[in-house]
Amino acid sequence: MGESTDTSVFSRHSSHSLTRRGFCAAAAASALLFLAPGCTSSRNVVVDDTDVDAAAVQLTFFGFKYEPLNVIAIEEALHGYMDENDGVSIVYESIKSLPYFDALDKRLAAGLGDDVFMVDHDTVLEFEAAGYLADLSDLATISSFSELALSQMRSEGAIDYVPTSISAFGLYCNTDMLAAYGVSVPRTFAEFERACEKFVAEGVLPVVANNDISLKTVAIARGLADVYDSADPTAAIVSFNDDHAGLVSHLREGFEVVERMISGGWVDAGLALETEKTADDLSQFATGAYPFMLTGAWASVRMHDLAPDLEFDVHPYPVLDDRSVLVVNVDTRVSVNANGPHVEQAKDFVTHLTRPGPIELFANSQCSFSPLIGNAAPDDGSLAPIAAAFESGVTVIGSDDNLHLPIWSSVRECVVALLEGRTAEEAEALLAELIATASGQGGESV
């Protein structure tokens, strides 16, 4: 299927003594072992049962979580389940991010889909229409999920996936560099603008941005903040399913902010187009030569490992006129293949995966919030500002399940167009075209 076959295998019987509170430090320390020379960030990773051929039931789990700290948590969950179910073996395989979704689509279309696999907002829209996703409404752990998670999971009535984390996106602030230049952490867009202009005047590139989520989430934050601040955010989001023009109009303001960042030299457009998420961007920020970085909170532990002497905090986006806003996603979604040979056994494994112990260990390994009641915050002290924002409820959902349009991928295309020199007006027109196509009103469905 054109996928990488470079693999690493972990024995079923290897031992990790990890608690939720101690996980991040242990995983960071283990990262060097897993990232040894010859292992690339896009490699396949396999967590394998050594007695796989002898097992009565052999499950496969396909995902896009490949980093060492995430794989350790997945390994713990798999081993825990196999220890309780002697006749079951599970293999976990991973491919990084964008190539993963192409591989997943090809496997399912060919009738070779794995028993369990990870999905995102846009693939759920596609896969539920294709009949690939089993209904998980009867899982015993559903009642343990928080109101925020359930509002997304139940948007279609049937539950097509369960989340294993609530991820957040933030502005990484190099606190030593800000202090050296006499710049405070920005809380509003005006403060952010002044800070970036000061750094530009000093010959410093202010913001590290990757080519995927950085500016996309900024556009969504600015464009939809007032919607999530309304009396009934869910109803407002649902209305956009018919009012495409209203959605596009809201996001125009977000595109204008991104355009301002590019035209002002706050980001290097050419560099951003080639900067990979949770890879190149972290290497750049780790040099200590940049005051800000825009990416997911999950990168925090990696940053501590890459640059142990770099002092930084992660804050909500300062993109509104009067305050900051935190963008979150009900994330790392896991589905069961409705057409697989072991549907009920796969659902039983997913039930195990979403118990408080395994799920909170996994969420913490991603420096993300738990999707269960209480939404336990990640341990990393650098994330305290976004934890406070999350607790206050000042959030925007980046890819809301109540919106039945591929906003996550469409806004990314628009931001790439901005980085390539298009204007906010042109980005708005492109978004309208993409949404029309996706909804069947402008040609073939994407």
Side-chain angles (χ1 to χ4, degrees):
M1 283 171 286
E3 300 160 24
S4 167
T5 56
D6 180 25
T7 61
S8 297
V9 178
F10 302 92
S11 166
R12 171 179 178 173
H13 302 292
S14 59
S15 175
H16 299 288
S17 179
L18 297 174
T19 64
R20 182 177 189 281
R21 290 297 163 190
F23 186 85
C24 275
S30 300
L32 293 176
L33 172 64
F34 288 89
L35 294 179
C39 295
T40 66
S41 62
S42 60
R43 72 192 189 286
N44 286 19
V45 175
V46 174
V47 176
D48 200 352
D49 173 18
T50 54
D51 301 320
V52 60
D53 293 332
V57 176
Q58 300 172 19
L59 299 179
T60 59
F61 182 8
F62 190 34
F64 50 79
K65 288 299 178 181
Y66 64 93
E67 294 183 347
L69 58 167
N70 302 151
V71 173
I72 291 172
I74 292 172
E75 185 188 9
E76 288 289 304
L78 268 59
H79 290 178
Y81 184 75
M82 290 187 289
D83 287 344
E84 296 175 6
N85 297 269
D86 287 337
V88 179
S89 179
I90 310 174
V91 174
Y92 175 74
E93 179 189 4
S94 175
I95 300 175
K96 184 179 179 181
S97 200
L98 295 178
Y100 165 80
F101 289 103
D102 181 55
L104 175 63
D105 185 65
K106 288 178 179 177
R107 290 184 183 193
L108 290 169
L112 300 172
D114 297 89
D115 298 291
V116 181
F117 46 83
M118 294 179 184
V119 293
D120 66 0
H121 172 271
D122 292 2
T123 53
V124 167
L125 293 175
E126 178 185 350
F127 289 171
E128 66 186 4
Y132 293 152
L133 307 181
D135 184 0
L136 305 181
S137 301
D138 59 345
L139 296 191
T141 51
I142 295 298
S143 61
S144 301
F145 284 90
S146 68
E147 183 178 346
L148 172 59
L150 289 172
S151 73
Q152 301 296 294
M153 297 159 61
R154 289 177 170 162
S155 63
E156 288 295 315
I159 294 178
D160 296 318
Y161 71 86
V162 288
T164 58
S165 68
I166 296 178
S167 58
F169 305 85
L171 180 72
Y172 284 64
C173 297
N174 179 336
T175 53
D176 286 342
M177 193 170 187
L178 294 186
Y181 282 85
V183 174
S184 299
V185 171
R187 311 290 182 185
T188 66
F189 186 66
E191 292 176 2
F192 190 34
E193 184 173 43
R194 286 194 295 271
C196 288
E197 288 181 340
K198 180 178 178 62
F199 283 112
V200 168
E202 295 284 349
V204 175
L205 181 65
V207 181
V208 173
N210 62 58
N211 60 12
D212 187 1
I213 57 172
S214 294
L215 300 176
K216 171 174 69 180
T217 48
V218 165
I220 292 172
R222 177 68 182 231
L224 298 183
D226 64 332
V227 174
Y228 284 93
D229 203 31
S230 64
D232 191 344
T234 299
I237 290 293
V238 168
S239 72
F240 289 143
N241 291 313
D242 297 317
D243 181 17
H244 298 171
L247 174 63
V248 172
S249 178
H250 271 80
L251 286 165
R252 166 64 183 268
E253 194 170 344
F255 295 147
E256 289 173 347
V257 166
V258 174
E259 184 180 34
R260 172 74 182 96
M261 295 177 67
I262 296 169
S263 65
W266 307 359
V267 298
D268 181 325
L271 179 61
L273 283 169
E274 299 190 3
T275 297
E276 284 196 35
K277 173 182 68 179
T278 325
D280 301 333
D281 51 358
L282 305 193
S283 296
Q284 293 168 28
F285 194 65
T287 65
Y290 303 89
F292 303 117
M293 177 174 66
L294 295 162
T295 197
W298 60 79
S300 183
V301 166
R302 284 282 303 277
M303 280 309 313
H304 290 305
D305 182 49
L306 284 171
D309 296 327
L310 179 65
E311 294 293 332
F312 67 90
D313 292 322
V314 187
H315 294 259
Y317 286 164
V319 294
L320 303 183
D321 294 336
D322 58 344
R323 61 181 172 87
S324 300
V325 62
L326 180 66
V327 179
V328 301
N329 270 340
V330 174
D331 223 346
T332 320
R333 306 167 178 207
V334 175
S335 291
V336 168
N337 185 356
N339 304 311
H342 307 294
V343 174
E344 293 306 315
Q345 193 75 56
K347 289 170 67 174
D348 189 59
F349 164 66
V350 172
T351 298
H352 172 84
L353 182 64
T354 52
R355 291 174 180 169
I359 201 170
E360 293 196 350
L361 184 68
F362 189 34
N364 197 44
S365 82
Q366 302 175 72
C367 288
S368 297
F369 298 89
S370 166
L372 303 185
I373 293 170
N375 297 125
D379 296 340
D380 192 337
S382 297
L383 304 178
I386 65 169
F390 185 87
E391 188 174 353
S392 73
V394 185
T395 60
V396 166
I397 299 175
S399 55
D400 197 318
D401 281 271
N402 294 287
L403 183 63
H404 306 153
L405 299 166
I407 185 173
W408 200 237
S409 57
S410 297
V411 174
R412 180 182 184 272
E413 286 193 48
C414 295
V415 166
V416 168
L418 287 165
L419 289 169
E420 291 174 340
R422 306 277 284 276
T423 65
E425 182 179 4
E426 290 172 322
E428 180 185 20
L430 175 59
L431 180 61
E433 178 184 337
L434 292 169
I435 288 178
T437 301
S439 61
Q441 298 177 7
E444 296 181 6
S445 177
V446 293

